[in-house]
Amino acid sequence: MTDADHPTLIRHAQAGDGAAFAQLLAQHYDTMFRFAYRWCGHRSDAEDITQLACIKLAQSIAQFRFEAAFSSWLYRLVINCAKDWHKSQQRHQHDNIDNWIEPEQAPDQRAENSIYLQQLLHLLDHMAEGFKETALLVHGEGLSHAEAAEVLHLKESTVSWRLHEIRKQLQRRQQDSDGSWEPSL
């Protein structure tokens, strides 16, 4: 269902209709969780972030003004929840690789993908503000540069520049390492 298909549903949710809110949440929950997972790389953490985003959505649905696509507004809400969650969790580190493994892949593949994901997220966490969101929206969610720019309230050229800078950092990191780490951004 596209944003254009449910402005009435959004308006009913804004007016306090619990069934409309539940339907809206059901339509977008998977996207919210997927984005939260891509943000943090851990299933349990993504569940926490998504729950925070659901609570925040319930508290702030009335603030949606139909000035942008609902999905763009929702991505921004999840980004803000992920940042808030990350700040509250900075003192806790995930050192156990078992937390990284997803059940649908072979064990060796899961561990390798998890390590790559953690390295990439670590690099993005240490880049300037906004780089992580840009990479996740474009490469993780498949948004175009223009769509990501709308979500992030930036110019499309800024999104393109950020992605270029991320690629440069990844290439530099690969050259500095033994060449065994090859992320696909």
Side-chain angles (χ1 to χ4, degrees):
M1 177 173 275
T2 64
D3 291 341
D5 295 333
H6 59 332
T8 304
L9 186 61
I10 295 169
R11 290 189 197 287
H12 285 283
Q14 288 177 321
D17 182 338
F21 180 80
Q23 185 178 352
L24 189 64
L25 187 58
Q27 290 173 358
H28 292 280
Y29 185 87
D30 290 343
T31 302
M32 294 166 65
F33 175 79
R34 184 183 63 240
F35 190 68
Y37 180 78
R38 288 185 174 138
W39 177 271
C40 66
H42 298 281
R43 178 171 294 283
S44 62
D45 295 346
E47 290 168 351
D48 291 344
I49 292 168
T50 306
Q51 289 303 315
L52 289 173
C54 290
I55 293 166
K56 183 69 173 177
L57 178 60
Q59 294 170 342
S60 62
I61 187 83
Q63 296 172 7
F64 179 67
R65 299 286 178 233
F66 299 90
E67 294 169 356
F70 182 73
S71 58
S72 297
W73 183 81
L74 193 57
Y75 276 124
R76 172 56 47 201
L77 183 137
V78 175
I79 288 169
N80 289 337
C81 287
K83 285 180 176 181
D84 291 345
W85 176 88
H86 181 72
K87 287 176 189 173
S88 72
Q89 298 295 314
Q90 281 183 328
R91 64 187 171 279
H92 304 294
Q93 296 298 319
H94 295 278
D95 296 326
N96 185 349
I97 197 165
D98 293 337
N99 291 333
W100 303 347
I101 297 175
E102 295 297 319
E104 56 272 359
Q105 297 175 335
D108 290 345
Q109 178 91 22
R110 290 184 300 212
E112 187 175 327
N113 286 346
S114 294
I115 290 168
Y116 290 156
L117 177 60
Q118 292 307 312
Q119 290 174 334
L120 180 57
L121 291 174
H122 180 74
L123 173 69
L124 292 171
D125 281 338
H126 289 88
M127 293 185 77
E129 178 76 21
F131 281 78
K132 185 174 185 177
E133 298 91 353
T134 303
L136 293 175
L137 287 170
V138 174
H139 294 291
E141 292 298 307
L143 271 61
S144 69
H145 291 204
E147 292 167 330
E150 180 182 339
V151 169
L152 298 171
H153 305 292
L154 300 171
K155 292 181 181 178
E156 185 175 346
S157 59
T158 302
V159 169
S160 298
W161 174 80
R162 284 179 177 177
L163 293 171
H164 175 73
E165 288 299 311
I166 292 167
R167 286 185 190 102
K168 281 182 11 184
Q169 287 285 333
L170 291 173
Q171 288 172 347
R172 194 172 306 129
R173 177 173 229 169
Q174 186 176 1
Q175 289 170 354
D176 293 344
S177 71
D178 62 4
S180 62
W181 185 54
E182 298 183 28
S184 61
L185 275 183

